[in-house]
Amino acid sequence: MGHDLLVLPSAAVAIYDAEGNVLVGLHSDRRVWVLPGGLIEPGETPGDGAVRETWEETGLVVELTGIIGVYGGRELVVDYANGDRASYVGTIFQGRIIGGQIRADGDEILELRYVSKDELQSLPHALWIDVAIDAIYQRGGTPHFQPPTWHP
């Protein structure tokens, strides 16, 4: 494929503590804070991808409890240092911990912590967080999506 722009499906999970803070991890290659998540494998459902990626990155087993929203667009285009380009379409789920022991995997995720909305906004974070942050911290609202801007 070379360095052609690829459209890739991804999934992430918002996990909350008792105060409503959200679990984020410091991503190793870009040094930005993100929700646990990643690419959906071929033939995998978005839900399975979200649960698997959360387990791999955090050591936590989660139950998905809802969909926060579906996102795409410029904020989800990533240019990698090796020249690869990806345009992600991301589904963000709400989840709750049902097992496991919290630990950063040390490969993709270097550190994990729960943060408030204000704290996350002040940390270096992935651009897509800005698109979804209100919906992430709303908890229990209706699923969110970016309104269409295209028209014939």
Side-chain angles (χ1 to χ4, degrees):
M1 300 295 296
H3 297 298
D4 291 348
L5 180 64
L6 299 176
V7 176
L8 300 172
S10 65
V13 181
I15 302 165
Y16 305 91
D17 68 9
E19 290 78 40
N21 298 312
V22 173
L23 182 66
V24 294
L26 180 60
H27 206 277
S28 63
D29 67 344
R30 302 186 60 89
R31 302 285 185 192
V32 294
W33 292 87
V34 297
L35 297 178
L39 284 176
I40 299 168
E41 299 290 335
E44 187 174 49
T45 67
D48 282 341
V51 170
R52 176 186 52 76
E53 285 284 345
T54 300
W55 164 255
E56 291 173 1
E57 293 177 356
T58 71
L60 297 172
V61 180
V62 295
E63 173 184 52
L64 302 180
T65 58
I67 294 176
I68 292 173
V70 179
Y71 303 90
R74 288 184 207 138
E75 295 85 356
L76 279 83
V77 173
V78 177
D79 294 304
Y80 291 97
N82 67 0
D84 288 349
R85 299 185 72 221
S87 178
Y88 292 96
V89 176
T91 303
I92 304 175
F93 294 93
Q94 285 184 357
R96 67 180 187 88
I97 299 168
I98 58 171
Q101 294 286 328
I102 192 167
R103 54 103 187 108
D105 71 359
D107 181 31
E108 285 185 78
I109 300 298
L110 302 176
E111 181 184 342
L112 293 164
R113 66 173 134 157
Y114 286 93
V115 296
S116 68
K117 181 179 176 182
D118 289 341
E119 185 178 4
L120 182 54
Q121 288 174 314
S122 71
L123 293 170
H125 56 271
L127 288 177
W128 65 264
I129 295 282
D130 293 331
V131 176
I133 196 163
D134 289 337
I136 290 168
Y137 283 92
Q138 183 178 356
R139 289 188 75 179
T142 59
H144 178 255
F145 59 92
Q146 297 149 292
T149 58
W150 184 90
H151 61 282

